[in-house]
Amino acid sequence: MATSSILPDRPLGIALIGTGFMGKCHAMAWRNVAAVFGGAHHRLEILSDATPESAESYARQFGFSRSTARWQEAVADPNVDVISITAPNGMHRPMAEAALEAGKHVWLEKPMALTLKDAEAMAATAARYPGQATMLGYNYLRSPAFQAARHLIGDGAIGRPLAFRGVYDEDYSADPLLPWSWRMTHEGGGLGALGDLGCHLVSHMLALMGPVADVVAQTQVAIPTRPSPDGPKPVENEDSAMALLRFTSGAQGSFATSRVARGRKCRLQWEVHGQDGTIVFDQENMNELWVHKTGEAGFVRHLSGPDQPDFAAFCPAPGHNFGFNEQKVIEARDLLAAIAGAPNVGPDFAHALEIEKIIHAMAISNGAVIRL
């Protein structure tokens, strides 16, 4: 993923819709991006959350000048240039489309939308406003180790890629006593493990291997009901999914994701087998890249350091670990560069739609081959 020194020459007004884990990540990224990469310090204009009280509280905590419980006010604000959206999945389409129609740039957390139809409509809306930058929050694409792996494969270091094997597992839903929530419904959450976790693995897969030609998959609801104050409620979306893929290059792929994998916390792990070597990465050990080349006895461990993309902007010393929130700062930099006229390294809405097509194909496959 190429870096760019092109940044806006004036401060931009920022609105944040949504708080929680990812809202805080966006707020920290907006506060830190100029300190890390230079350029203007952007104005944190307005924060929107579900109630006036929470909006005001988080605006103070995150450093925004004003607050509102009506997200439409944030979108329409004339002092705002960029909208960060970290609201629940079901609000992504109306918020993003309203922001684009109001002339704003949009930074949207994944997944793109509840349904493939919604994602297609959002991409079509973005295409009508080519002067406005869009970006999906696939922050794991920004780790220096991943960027280095992408460059190695692109430069032919392991020869022609033959196969991709990837897994993204967590265990946040493994406890059967975990209460039911809107995230477990099609209407509120959309897809399950595929939309929450698997889309990240697909983003890596596409960046490393190129387009997918076809996919065959199976999904599973491992815990069919969850407790609620009104009694057990059904879980509608998948707890896990597995798939086999064929890339347009002819390479093979395997894919697995689960939100009920006991003991796994952020196992975004993959390996690429090439004609002349293999590269292995695991997000739980995100500061390591393992590389094997023909003629070597085994794998060589490469620690993250300033020789990898973007690492030196944060720290000049190798082996001093990079972290999750630093990835969001790079993502903010890339969005700002696109706003300033540099190529959008994305995923923008058009490229994010390709990710949505793949995960939705996996969701409906049920053992049948789906052509992409």
Side-chain angles (χ1 to χ4, degrees), residues 58-112:
Y58 281 111
R60 287 197 304 269
Q61 179 180 341
F62 294 170
F64 282 78
S65 299
R66 292 168 287 125
S67 64
T68 180
R70 295 190 68 253
W71 63 264
Q72 294 88 346
E73 292 182 3
V75 167
D77 193 307
N79 294 314
V80 167
D81 302 291
V82 185
I83 308 288
S84 273
I85 301 173
T86 66
N89 301 349
M91 298 302 297
H92 286 188
R93 179 180 174 182
M95 289 177 175
E97 290 186 338
L100 288 166
E101 290 163 0
K104 317 298 186 184
H105 309 282
V106 179
W107 186 10
L108 174 66
E109 273 309 307
K110 44 60 60 188
M112 191 170 175

Side-chain angles (χ1 to χ4, degrees), residues 34-364:
V36 176
F37 292 109
H41 286 264
H42 302 287
R43 307 185 315 274
L44 305 186
E45 287 284 350
I46 186 168
L47 180 145
S48 177
D49 204 20
T51 68
E53 294 77 17
S54 63
E56 182 180 1
S57 175
Y58 281 111
R60 287 197 304 269
Q61 179 180 341
F62 294 170
F64 282 78
S65 299
R66 292 168 287 125
S67 64
T68 180
R70 295 190 68 253
W71 63 264
Q72 294 88 346
E73 292 182 3
V75 167
D77 193 307
N79 294 314
V80 167
D81 302 291
V82 185
I83 308 288
S84 273
I85 301 173
T86 66
N89 301 349
M91 298 302 297
H92 286 188
R93 179 180 174 182
M95 289 177 175
E97 290 186 338
L100 288 166
E101 290 163 0
K104 317 298 186 184
H105 309 282
V106 179
W107 186 10
L108 174 66
E109 273 309 307
K110 44 60 60 188
M112 191 170 175
L114 292 179
T115 67
L116 181 57
K117 181 179 178 181
D118 283 346
E120 290 170 339
M122 293 163 68
T125 299
R128 295 200 300 269
Y129 301 97
Q132 292 159 230
T134 60
M135 184 166 291
L136 265 290
Y138 285 101
N139 50 286
Y140 296 123
L141 293 170
R142 267 70 187 186
S143 81
F146 175 78
Q147 294 190 64
R150 188 177 181 182
H151 289 166
L152 285 170
I153 293 171
D155 291 342
I158 61 169
R160 181 171 64 88
L162 303 175
F164 174 92
R165 295 180 183 175
V167 177
Y168 191 176
D169 290 339
E170 295 199 16
D171 67 355
Y172 58 82
S173 293
D175 184 353
L177 299 180
L178 180 76
W180 179 93
S181 79
W182 60 265
R183 293 183 181 277
M184 299 168 183
T185 69
H186 294 306
E187 183 178 2
L191 298 180
L194 284 166
D196 197 19
L197 305 176
C199 59
H200 277 298
L201 180 57
V202 171
S203 76
H204 274 209
M205 183 177 71
L206 292 178
L208 298 171
M209 303 293 293
V212 171
D214 54 59
V215 58
V216 57
Q218 292 183 338
T219 63
Q220 178 187 52
V221 179
I223 303 172
T225 62
R226 296 280 184 174
S228 81
D230 301 321
K233 287 190 175 183
V235 173
E236 297 176 356
N237 52 28
E238 74 286 344
D239 288 319
S240 63
M242 294 186 178
L244 297 176
L245 309 104
R246 183 170 57 85
F247 298 93
T248 57
S249 67
Q252 297 176 316
S254 67
F255 168 104
T257 188
S258 175
R259 62 188 182 188
V260 293
R262 291 282 189 178
R264 296 300 184 183
K265 304 305 177 185
C266 188
R267 190 198 178 197
L268 175 54
Q269 189 274 340
W270 52 258
E271 53 187 66
V272 175
H273 301 170
Q275 283 184 317
D276 302 317
T278 298
I279 298 179
V280 179
F281 173 79
D282 188 337
Q283 182 68 26
E284 287 186 347
N285 297 290
M286 66 177 291
N287 286 280
E288 299 178 357
L289 194 65
W290 292 82
V291 181
H292 168 78
K293 296 182 181 180
T294 299
E296 297 173 344
F299 285 83
V300 176
R301 174 177 177 243
H302 296 262
L303 283 176
S304 288
D307 59 321
Q308 293 180 340
D310 290 322
F311 188 101
F314 295 89
C315 178
H320 290 58
N321 287 351
F322 199 83
F324 179 90
N325 286 297
E326 282 83 351
Q327 296 172 127
K328 299 305 287 188
V329 177
I330 299 171
E331 201 168 76
R333 186 278 316 273
D334 288 343
L335 175 61
L336 289 168
I339 292 170
N344 191 336
V345 297
D348 62 10
F349 279 15
H351 289 97
L353 178 59
E354 299 307 308
I355 298 173
E356 296 289 324
K357 289 178 180 178
I358 293 169
I359 60 174
H360 282 276
M362 292 178 181
I364 66 172

